[in-house]
Amino acid sequence: MTDRAKRYEAIRDAVRPQWDDARAARNRAGVDRLRRRHLLTRGGGALVVAALLALVAYHSLGPAAPGEPDDPTVRFSDGSVAVPDAPGSLIVEASSPELILVNLQEGRSRFKVTPDPKRRFVVRAGAARVTVLGTSFSVEHRSGGQVQVQVSEGRVRVDAPGGTWTLNSGEGGEFPGQPRADASPHRATTPEGPDERVATHQEPPEGDDATPRAPTETPQPPPENPLAETSAPPERPKARAESSDPPPTPERRGRGPAKPQAAAGAPPAHEPPEGIDKPAVGWGQLAEERRFKEAAQLLTTIEPVEIQGASALIRAAEVMRFAGQPGRALAYLEAVERRYPQDAQAPLALFWRGRILLRGQPCRAAEVFARLQRQGGAAALQEDALAREVTALARCGRLEQARQRARIYERRYPQGHHRGAMRRYTDPPDDTAEEP
Amino acid sequence: MSHPPPRASGLGLVSVDAHAPQDDVRVDFDALYERFAPYVASIGLRLLGRPDEVDDLIQEVFFTAHRKMHQLKERDAVKSWLATIAVRQAHRRLRARRMWSFVGLDTWDAFHTIPDPGASPQTRAEVIALFRALETLPPALRIAWTLKHLEGERLDAIALLCDCSTRTIKRRIRQAQELLEEVWHD
């Protein structure tokens, strides 16, 4: 063993702890203390986790299960709560991150709605519809159809036959459930005077269906300060029900142009509720006044599914078109095809949809134009549909198919308006041909 | 009654219960503590060099052992397993101590409590000088050197305890020796 090793061994022997039973017991107790502390910490952590899980589970509960007789409270996933007076009087018709739609069939219900700009909370009560803008309020649907709305906090918008109102905190009002017999269903009196409440829609002239205007066409300038006018609006060929109103009744269909209450001398549809501020204006009214951008903004708060009637849907699409948002018109046009396939305007909606798609999605546009031709009807649209199908196919890159369809066009419509453009496709392929 | 600490005669595999089957890894914790606590105290004192920290280390080692008893795969490896835990805990404490010393908050200076009171004055002086020098080493180098020269372990056993290669252990011991020679003239 070297000297160094001997020195290290001597040091090693000199460095040794004094170990006895007392020290052993003291350290053993220390180990047990650490174990107890660890168990307490782990147990406490588990309790905290369990409490958090219970809290999350409580808050993530959706609407209460139907048929709970003791607790009529309906809780929604976003934290909103509805407390109807009677169980079963409140029906949840839709519950999604974008829309909560409840139907108060009868009686009274209080609502506490969590504000969420991305989600609309709508309460239907008879013919009235209350759109919540983040608030606490109550709705009572009376037996006679009358609807009483009282706002505790925030703001709601009430769409009822005769108009649209905004109720602020502390305000309330009574709204008719059905249009009164002695009043025009199209009109309502506001605190500032008579006001047209039903949108009218100017139909394109006969034959114009065959060549709809381009979506990017510049709208006519709106009249100056139309709301200030008290005289009758210009005559319209037809009047159509605004989408936010209930579905048009048979009596309402085919009515002539509505005239102002003041001019006609008829009583107002109903008096505005006390304490109500300036009434809100419907998107149809705004469109009628050619305030398309404002109408489009209002339309974004309404789901296409809530708009009733092919005409109203097409009108909504037109609003988007004139507001410079043709892409947003697609949803309304698709709704026409899906919900009103037998409507006389369905082919027009389909053609228009194809034109919008042609600008960015030519392959889908080609399918739409082809479907329009397969469905037949609207003979005036068929020639244009075929010509645009050729253009769409060429833009989609399906040149051979475009050439075949162009030859079909030449055979069917030898004197057609688009024969010059079709010739470009029947000749050696040239996908730079201009749109017909 | 005072027990002499077990002599560091290498990390030989020691059975807790010599009559138990080899594949039975159930260990009586009390028996484990009674048998190996002095050994942990010994290795702890040599690694840490501070008698007042040894009790904390013992408790931490056996607390960890109790929690991780299910990880013990070989009953005969109990001693090396405990040594591994002790080395890791000691390394952690040495790192913390070094950090405190960097900011001037580690003022411990009771080196005279390290050597056994029965040792000769010359040995006591050498122990004090050695542990003063060891305080200047990085923890990894200090542990490798201590296990080699004060615990008398083989290089492969040290590599196992430190979870690194034998080559690394050799390098650390060499570096530690070079640093020690600057401050401790053995």
Side-chain angles (χ1 to χ4, degrees):
Chain A
M1 188 180 288
T2 63
D3 289 344
R4 179 181 287 181
K6 285 180 183 174
R7 288 181 66 191
Y8 289 161
E9 188 170 350
I11 292 172
R12 184 189 309 152
D13 287 339
V15 181
R16 55 178 60 186
Q18 297 299 314
W19 191 258
D20 53 24
D21 288 343
R23 189 173 184 183
R26 194 170 62 244
N27 280 304
R28 183 68 178 86
V31 174
D32 289 340
R33 193 167 50 247
L34 286 175
R35 287 171 54 191
R36 281 196 301 273
R37 194 180 301 166
H38 176 70
L39 285 174
L40 279 174
T41 308
R42 196 169 58 179
L47 277 176
V48 170
V49 169
L52 285 174
L53 286 175
L55 199 64
V56 168
Y58 176 78
H59 282 290
S60 63
L61 282 176
E68 290 181 3
D70 296 335
D71 184 12
T73 303
V74 180
R75 298 179 192 281
F76 299 91
S77 56
D78 66 344
S80 301
V81 177
V83 187
D85 285 353
S89 62
L90 198 68
I91 296 174
V92 180
E93 295 183 343
S95 179
S96 70
E98 295 82 24
L99 173 69
I100 292 177
L101 180 61
V102 295
N103 190 344
L104 179 62
Q105 299 202 310
E106 60 178 358
R108 181 171 177 271
S109 178
R110 285 168 290 131
F111 297 89
K112 177 75 177 174
V113 178
T114 305
D116 183 356
K118 295 178 182 172
R119 185 264 302 120
R120 290 188 309 116
F121 194 107
V122 180
V123 181
R124 289 186 191 276
R129 189 180 67 174
V130 182
T131 302
V132 183
L133 309 172
T135 189
S136 174
F137 67 104
S138 67
V139 178
E140 184 176 2
H141 188 184
R142 295 175 179 165
S143 54
Q146 296 283 317
V147 176
Q148 169 86 34
V149 180
Q150 182 66 43
V151 181
S152 308
E153 297 172 22
R155 214 153 56 102
V156 302
R157 190 183 75 215
V158 182
D159 293 302
T164 300
W165 289 268
T166 300
L167 300 183
N168 291 311
S169 178
E171 296 175 347
E174 237 181 69
F175 302 88
Q178 300 294 333
R180 285 165 58 160
D182 58 347
S184 163
H186 301 278
R187 302 277 173 181
T189 299
T190 69
E192 295 184 350
D195 186 14
E196 189 177 6
R197 283 288 153 215
V198 178
T200 55
H201 170 211
Q202 185 170 11
E203 283 286 292
E206 285 300 321
D208 193 31
D209 281 359
T211 54
R213 289 165 292 181
T216 54
E217 196 170 311
T218 307
Q220 295 297 316
E224 289 183 7
N225 193 11
L227 281 179
E229 294 175 359
T230 54
S231 58
E235 290 290 317
R236 306 288 184 191
K238 286 184 183 177
R240 286 213 168 88
E242 184 176 341
S243 61
S244 56
D245 283 346
T249 59
E251 296 77 26
R252 297 178 69 177
R253 287 200 185 109
R255 277 182 178 256
K259 293 198 169 35
Q261 295 285 342
H270 65 86
E271 292 300 325
E274 288 184 7
I276 296 178
D277 63 354
K278 184 178 179 180
V281 181
W283 68 268
Q285 165 95 12
L286 292 168
E288 184 65 17
E289 295 167 358
R290 305 188 72 80
R291 294 156 64 184
F292 296 112
K293 289 193 175 175
E294 295 169 64
Q297 195 171 4
L298 202 54
L299 264 177
T300 57
T301 65
I302 302 172
E303 297 290 321
V305 71
E306 293 182 57
I307 298 178
Q308 303 296 324
S311 298
L313 284 165
I314 289 178
R315 181 62 172 157
E318 281 186 342
V319 167
M320 290 300 179
R321 165 195 175 193
F322 285 124
Q325 306 172 39
R328 301 185 73 167
L330 286 173
Y332 303 104
L333 299 172
E334 285 171 0
V336 173
E337 185 186 1
R338 190 172 58 252
R339 290 161 52 195
Y340 305 101
Q342 303 304 319
D343 192 280
Q345 298 180 83
L348 175 64
L350 195 58
F351 183 87
W352 189 3
R353 199 173 136 221
R355 286 207 54 177
I356 295 173
L357 290 170
L358 189 57
R359 295 177 179 273
Q361 304 176 63
C363 298
R364 282 188 63 198
E367 292 169 11
V368 167
F369 287 126
R371 187 158 68 246
L372 176 57
Q373 294 168 70
R374 282 197 302 273
Q375 289 176 357
L381 286 178
Q382 294 296 320
E383 180 191 344
D384 282 289
L386 178 55
R388 282 173 169 78
E389 184 193 1
V390 171
T391 305
L393 286 169
R395 289 186 186 176
C396 183
R398 292 148 66 179
L399 297 178
E400 181 55 34
Q401 205 174 346
R403 191 176 305 118
Q404 291 173 4
R405 299 295 291 167
R407 286 178 183 142
I408 291 173
Y409 179 94
E410 286 181 338
R411 282 200 301 274
R412 285 185 190 168
Y413 310 104
Q415 304 300 319
H417 299 299
H418 308 294
R419 61 182 185 278
M422 292 300 105
R423 199 171 297 123
R424 300 187 180 194
Y425 296 107
T426 53
D427 288 339
D430 178 9
D431 59 354
T432 60
E434 290 179 4
E435 181 186 349
Chain B
M1 177 181 168
S2 180
H3 298 281
R7 182 171 176 79
S9 56
L11 295 176
L13 302 179
V14 178
S15 171
V16 174
D17 181 358
H19 302 290
Q22 285 299 309
D23 58 348
D24 184 3
V25 294
R26 289 176 300 174
V27 175
D28 181 354
F29 184 72
D30 288 332
L32 182 82
Y33 176 81
E34 190 177 347
R35 180 165 188 143
F36 291 107
Y39 166 71
V40 173
S42 174
I43 194 174
L45 178 60
R46 289 167 184 159
L47 287 171
L48 294 175
R50 295 187 182 179
D52 52 356
E53 289 188 14
V54 173
D55 283 354
D56 287 343
L57 181 79
I58 294 169
Q59 294 170 25
E60 288 168 1
V61 167
F62 281 95
F63 167 66
T64 305
H66 186 271
R67 281 178 55 214
K68 301 189 174 178
M69 193 72 81
H70 62 281
Q71 294 179 356
L72 185 61
K73 302 298 181 191
E74 296 177 36
R75 186 163 50 85
D76 286 345
V78 170
K79 188 177 179 183
S80 61
W81 180 60
L82 287 172
T84 305
I85 297 172
V87 166
R88 287 180 184 168
Q89 294 285 356
H91 196 181
R92 199 169 297 147
R93 283 178 166 271
L94 290 172
R95 274 202 314 249
R97 187 191 299 174
R98 191 171 174 82
M99 191 179 70
W100 288 116
S101 69
F102 277 144
V103 293
L105 294 175
D106 182 33
T107 56
W108 192 84
D109 195 28
F111 291 100
H112 62 280
T113 60
I114 300 174
D116 188 279
S120 67
Q122 184 183 357
T123 305
R124 286 174 56 85
E126 280 194 329
V127 168
I128 292 170
L130 172 64
F131 276 91
R132 278 189 191 279
L134 286 172
E135 285 291 313
T136 63
L137 296 185
L141 304 189
R142 173 176 180 164
I143 286 174
W145 191 92
T146 303
L147 289 174
K148 171 67 179 168
H149 295 297
L150 296 187
E151 281 295 311
E153 296 299 340
R154 287 168 28 192
L155 290 176
D156 54 349
I158 300 171
L160 197 66
L161 291 175
C162 296
D163 195 23
C164 59
S165 67
T166 308
R167 192 173 176 180
T168 302
I169 291 300
K170 282 182 183 174
R171 179 173 50 79
R172 286 179 181 174
I173 292 172
R174 189 178 65 249
Q175 288 178 349
Q177 189 68 42
E178 291 170 1
L179 290 171
L180 281 176
E181 285 173 357
E182 295 177 6
V183 292
W184 182 58
H185 304 286
D186 58 338

